Amino acid sequence: MTPHPADRDGAVRDHAAEVEAALAVLAGDLPLPLRVAAADQVTDDDHDDDVDGDTPTARLLLRRPDHQPDHRGDGAGLGGGPRWPAPDGSLGRLWTTAEGLVVGLGAPPSGGSEAPATEPWLVAGDAAGRCLDRDVVVVLPHDGTDDGTDDGTGDDAAVEALLCGLGAGAAAARLGLERRPAPGGVPRVRVPEALLPAARRGLAASAAVHLARLVTCAPPGVATPAAVAAWARSGAEAVGATCEVLDADALRAGGYGGVLAVGAGSAAEPRLVRVRWDGRPGSSGGASGPGAPADLVVVGKGVTFDSGGLSLKSPAAMQDMRSDCAGAAAALAAVLSLAAQRAPVAVEALLPLAENLPGPGATRPGDVVRSRSGRLVQVLDTDFEGRVLLADALTDACASRPRLVVDLATLTYQAVVALGQDVGALLARDGSAAAAVLDAARRAGEPLWRLPLADRYRGQVDLGWAVRNHPLADSGRAITAALFLDAFVPPEQPWAHLDVAGPSWRGDASADGATGFGVRTLLELARALGGPPER
């Protein structure tokens, strides 16, 4: 995302207002930045400027490197822009041509590639969405029978990812303007009628992605644990979900030693938030009845700022540490979106929220704390705080024996060392849980790669009498972090751990760099567990 230090009138940004507006959009109280509408099947040979006879409509053409439109002519593209160099199909690049706005999809994924086939559509949509200011008709780069992804993904998945990107990009471009009428009305994106349901799903998902980005990007003085908890409560009320917030007193009474230890050095006291939605037949919305475990419980790491605590980070390493709540932001946005769509699935988001600072009362290296489960945790490095925070929430997540527990966290830099900036790490004990999450990520366009939960390293974290948060080894830390979490998940509980430290952020510390990675995977996973949402 690009930085937005001020809105279009030059006024100072109000990040809290942006989050509140995004919550209102997700709940349907404010309009989405785009609309979708049906259009007749449009091919590359069609040049009608007016598709339905009432509104001039430009064209949005998606191109691979080996499929270039004719860019000859006067160069008058969308909005009469200047003639640019010939489109080469590079992923996410934009051109204005006489035919319309061209956006590159990049080369098709090669056989065996870890890149999901829908990822280019998501990226291309995000890029194009930032400059849409009028109606467009989507021109698919094929004859209508194969989207060119080579894995059978099909038009539905591609268009859903495209509209998610378009909506999220358009929302980012309109930051600060959500409460005002859009000049000329809200642009329409026209797709073939058969693809309208997929387009609507994608546009709904874009509101969740945008919300997750804004919560993550908000300055840490704005997105405090109490503020994020208040946003969760407000959002849950708006969409008909239930929300429970435990403050510091309730955490102490409940024995949440891990959450309290991480937040002990900050004047901004920690919180634990639980948002529930149950859309199964016979349920009452947010209230899950006894004996009815959730289909999916998502635990999102919510360190609203991470200084490293007494194991202080370097100044450079601290600069973008507002991003350490990306897991909680994605979990919250996904569950609120499912509730807003009245999805026939029972889901919960558990958000342990804390600010990790070295103030008075801060946890010291060597301290031993009692977790919610009763297991002792030896804190050897206060900058390895995320796993300590997650331990208590995982204990609560597993208490009702849900069908699947997933935790989402910006947990280790070694996941980035292993997989690079673009690919998230997945670790799981059993193949079925891993397969379900990987399949959802493939459909979502969010690349994940499974790393081994190698039991041979368990001795680095499990002391018998306690679990220590630092493995005393410089390698394998993505694995040992997952092994620490594994100690708080019962053996019979299906569980998957996602380390998204790499793909959750793009750009420098001044950028609005949050990507919302994980939101679409969670939505796809919930859809697979519960069935399609009501229309």
Side-chain angles (χ1 to χ4, degrees):
M1 297 174 69
T2 54
H4 295 275
D7 72 17
R8 302 294 175 83
D9 294 333
V12 176
R13 276 185 78 174
D14 186 336
H15 290 270
E18 290 174 5
V19 172
E20 290 161 4
L23 286 168
V25 171
L26 188 145
D29 296 329
L30 284 177
L32 290 158
L34 300 174
R35 295 174 293 160
V36 292
D40 294 332
Q41 180 66 52
V42 179
T43 68
D44 290 351
D45 296 327
D46 295 332
H47 294 279
D48 292 336
D49 287 332
D50 192 345
V51 174
D52 64 1
D54 63 356
T55 305
T57 304
R59 295 157 61 83
L60 175 62
L61 302 100
L62 297 106
R63 287 294 176 266
R64 300 286 188 187
D66 58 350
H67 188 180
Q68 300 176 14
D70 183 2
H71 60 280
R72 295 169 295 177
D74 61 6
L78 192 70
R83 179 175 176 178
W84 290 5
D88 63 10
S90 298
L91 178 59
R93 287 195 60 192
L94 297 168
W95 298 265
T96 56
T97 73
E99 292 188 321
L101 179 68
V102 181
V103 58
L105 284 174
S110 59
S113 170
E114 83 289 343
T118 51
E119 184 185 12
W121 296 79
L122 191 64
V123 174
D126 203 334
R130 294 166 191 266
C131 62
L132 288 188
D133 59 358
R134 59 179 293 186
D135 291 4
V136 293
V137 61
V138 174
V139 182
L140 302 178
H142 58 82
D143 62 6
T145 59
D146 177 12
D147 74 352
T149 57
D150 296 330
D151 75 341
T153 300
D155 285 348
D156 271 26
V159 167
E160 184 174 342
L162 174 68
L163 264 294
C164 181
L166 285 171
R174 285 189 50 77
L175 277 178
L177 303 176
E178 287 91 343
R179 298 187 182 276
R180 308 174 206 173
V186 177
R188 284 179 293 185
V189 178
R190 300 171 181 270
V191 300
E193 187 170 3
L195 297 175
L196 273 177
R200 291 189 180 111
R201 287 195 302 271
L203 199 54
S206 76
V209 170
H210 182 56
L211 173 62
R213 289 174 172 180
L214 289 182
V215 171
T216 306
C217 288
V222 175
T224 62
V228 176
W231 293 334
R233 192 188 294 279
S234 173
E237 182 179 350
V239 299
T242 62
C243 181
E244 177 186 10
V245 177
L246 302 184
D247 61 14
D249 289 339
L251 291 171
R252 280 187 284 269
Y256 293 85
V259 177
L260 291 165
V262 174
S266 173
E269 293 185 333
R271 298 287 190 275
L272 182 73
V273 177
R274 184 194 297 266
V275 178
R276 301 183 182 92
W277 164 253
D278 191 346
R280 296 174 295 195
S283 69
S284 55
S288 298
D295 295 307
L296 174 66
V297 178
V298 185
V299 177
K301 176 187 171 185
V303 178
T304 58
F305 180 75
D306 181 19
S307 73
L310 287 174
S311 305
L312 199 64
K313 294 179 183 289
S314 69
M318 260 189 267
Q319 290 173 353
D320 62 358
M321 278 297 102
R322 60 188 162 130
S323 68
D324 219 12
C325 68
L332 174 63
V335 170
L336 292 180
S337 178
L338 291 164
Q341 298 176 65
R342 324 314 288 171
V345 63
V347 290
E348 296 181 2
L350 270 168
L351 317 176
L353 304 167
E355 190 175 55
N356 187 26
L357 294 182
T363 299
R364 297 160 290 237
D367 276 351
V368 175
V369 300
R370 184 175 297 276
S371 70
R372 167 76 164 161
S373 71
R375 290 210 71 174
L376 298 179
V377 175
Q378 186 184 46
V379 178
L380 294 183
D381 188 322
T382 62
D383 196 23
F384 282 48
E385 85 298 332
R387 65 203 71 186
V388 179
L389 189 77
L390 290 170
D392 285 348
L394 282 171
T395 297
D396 275 7
C398 298
S400 62
R401 303 280 184 90
R403 290 174 61 188
L404 180 62
V405 172
V406 173
D407 74 78
L408 190 69
T410 49
L411 205 59
T412 69
Y413 183 69
Q414 286 214 350
V416 185
V417 171
L419 300 174
Q421 197 71 34
D422 295 338
V423 182
L426 179 147
L427 296 97
R429 289 188 295 227
D430 64 275
S432 59
V437 177
L438 288 171
D439 190 50
R442 180 189 62 81
R443 295 192 306 272
E446 295 182 326
L448 291 175
W449 194 261
R450 187 178 182 184
L451 297 179
L453 192 67
D455 199 64
R456 68 183 66 209
Y457 301 135
R458 190 176 298 275
Q460 294 183 19
V461 295
D462 195 339
L463 304 175
W465 64 274
V467 189
R468 65 184 177 196
N469 78 329
H470 192 289
L472 299 183
D474 292 333
S475 59
R477 287 184 179 173
I479 296 172
T480 52
L483 287 169
F484 177 99
L485 299 177
D486 176 81
F488 298 90
V489 179
E492 68 278 4
Q493 174 63 58
W495 160 71
H497 161 61
L498 306 186
D499 190 335
V500 297
S504 64
W505 189 270
R506 291 288 177 274
D508 64 29
S510 296
D512 271 12
T515 64
F517 188 94
V519 171
R520 276 181 47 82
T521 294
L522 295 176
L523 294 176
E524 289 289 344
L525 186 57
R527 184 192 303 177
L529 291 170
E534 295 178 8
R535 297 293 173 208

